[in-house]
Amino acid sequence: MERYFQPEVELMPYEEIRKLQNEKIVKQVRHVYDHVPYYRAKMDEKGVKPEDIHSVDDIKKLPFLTKDDLRDAYPYGLVAVPLTDCVRIQSTSGTTGKRVVAFYTQHDIDLWDECCARAIVAAGGTKDDVVHVCYGYGLFTGGPGLNGGSHMLGSLTLPMSSGNTERQIQFMTDLGSTILCCTPSYAAYLAESIHERGVIDQIKLKAGIFGAEAWTEEMRRDIEKSLRIKAYDIYGLTEISGPGVSFECSEQTGMHINEDHFYAEIIDPDTGEVLPEGSKGELVFTCLDKEAFPLLRYRTRDICVLTRKKCSCGRTHVKMSKPMGRSDDMMIIKGVNVFPSQIEAVLINQGYPANYQIIVDRVGTTDTIGVFVEQPADRYTTDPAEIATLESHLVQGLKNMLGIQVKVRLVEPKSIARSEGKAVRVIDKRKLY
Ligand code: DLL
């Protein structure tokens, strides 16, 4: 069993976690009510007072917060401490509308670093590791989060940031990086580039901590095989702190949520009703002990399932499944719900790399969906008959998975732009009309 960082909380029996959460939520709600007029007004409107909250069971009485609230209250409306007590801001990677800005006190940064340190330990990391961080640094939380966790653990940290693949590989070989932190799409690209340069035998990686975007089990297997590592998922969002809200352990069957800091619920996205354990629905987080930006009942729009099944790693914290795509990633095509991850699974199962682009359009009143798929470099063909056969296999596979007709066009290796951060998989032209 790997070395644990904080067994006293991570292996805590369920009743004790509950007790800790109950103590924290009472204080957290009082802090928010007293210092965030925006949320106080929402509570007042619902007729809920801090005195009504005695335990996490009472959380369901509280109003939800959504991304729209964050935009309404931009930039300072949800900050719960004087600005002079804040030491950092970070911002979401969203490209449309007003960005969401989150604030941190030093306590909040320490808490976040601790969560990321736990994630690195769960991936087998120790102070002897060389942690190569190529998530973006700056406003995006990926770089600063994993950087902070690696420091806290005492590992040698390489703050590479994203991009410059040549230099990434050079440092990786010269400095003997053992743990790689980046988006799964960039990990796949790095793997491809490492093999092209024929330097895989000089790579000392043993593990990767990949997150910030949806990725499939098929993609995990591909990356593990090509980089000869174990690949761990990590989840988080800027609004709640950043990466490390939850992370995978050696069992690789879902991510343990840091329940001593974040309380998770699953709700029906349409009615807002709290669903029982094991149900699929929208993930909602309540911060339990943050100072500057303590969001209560924040709707993530990520769809997943929670489970308390005993985990072989010994950790007792509740696990969330891989998000099955954001509720706002879901495309409705001819009335059918389609997630990019379903398409990716079909492609990888048929031996294609995860380099694809989905185009959704509307012709007259009919939705259409097509996908450009890169051919694998080692099986590249220009023979029209062979291409037609391969395309029709993919069309059939997608039909079986989704129940609708998807047009497929095989394209040359390397013709689809690679991403250094979060990959852009879908172009929905309907949104332009
Ligand atoms: O992506 C934080 C992060 C950085 C997580 C590095 C993991 C690693 P945002 O830019 O605010 O923060 O985006 C948050 O990204 O609501 C999910 O929809 C998605 N997401 C994050 N991690 C995963 C994951 C960072 N492991 C949004 N699997 C979240 C699937 C993920 N989706």
Side-chain angles (χ1 to χ4, degrees), residues 67 91-94 135 140-143 146 182-183 209-215 233-239 242-244 255 300-302 320 322-323 325-326 328-329 422:
K67 202 155 206 154
S91 175
T92 54
S93 44
Y135 287 112
F140 178 53
T141 53
L146 270 305
C182 60
T183 57
I209 303 178
F210 306 135
E213 63 185 5
W215 53 310
D233 204 349
I234 183 167
Y235 167 91
L237 61 167
T238 317
E239 298 90 318
M255 296 173 271
T300 63
R301 296 191 277 188
D302 292 320
M320 58 179 270
K322 265 180 182 304
R326 293 176 71 93
D328 46 357
D329 268 359
K422 299 191 190 220

Side-chain angles (χ1 to χ4, degrees), residues 105-118:
T105 61
Q106 187 57 51
H107 157 94
D108 299 333
I109 297 278
D110 294 344
L111 183 160
W112 177 25
D113 287 353
E114 179 183 282
C115 290
C116 288
R118 288 180 189 173

Side-chain angles (χ1 to χ4, degrees), residues 41 65 99 251 272 309 354:
L65 278 172
R99 278 178 166 260
E251 204 182 86
K309 249 199 238 138

Side-chain angles (χ1 to χ4, degrees), residues 331-334 336-340 342-344 346-347 350 356-361 367-373 388 390-410 425:
M331 305 170 279
I332 303 182
I333 315 282
K334 298 179 191 162
V336 176
N337 298 349
V338 176
F339 283 100
Q342 295 174 296
I343 295 180
E344 180 176 307
V346 172
L347 304 187
Q350 294 199 19
Y356 60 93
Q357 181 124 64
I358 300 166
I359 311 280
V360 180
D361 205 348
D367 295 329
T368 61
I369 174 164
V371 50
F372 289 102
V373 182
L390 292 168
E391 286 178 346
S392 75
H393 277 152
L394 281 170
V395 170
Q396 192 54 51
L398 291 165
K399 178 104 201 246
N400 295 344
M401 168 69 92
L402 307 169
I404 55 168
Q405 195 72 18
V406 178
K407 284 189 202 148
V408 173
R409 172 74 54 81
L410 284 183
R425 305 286 197 200

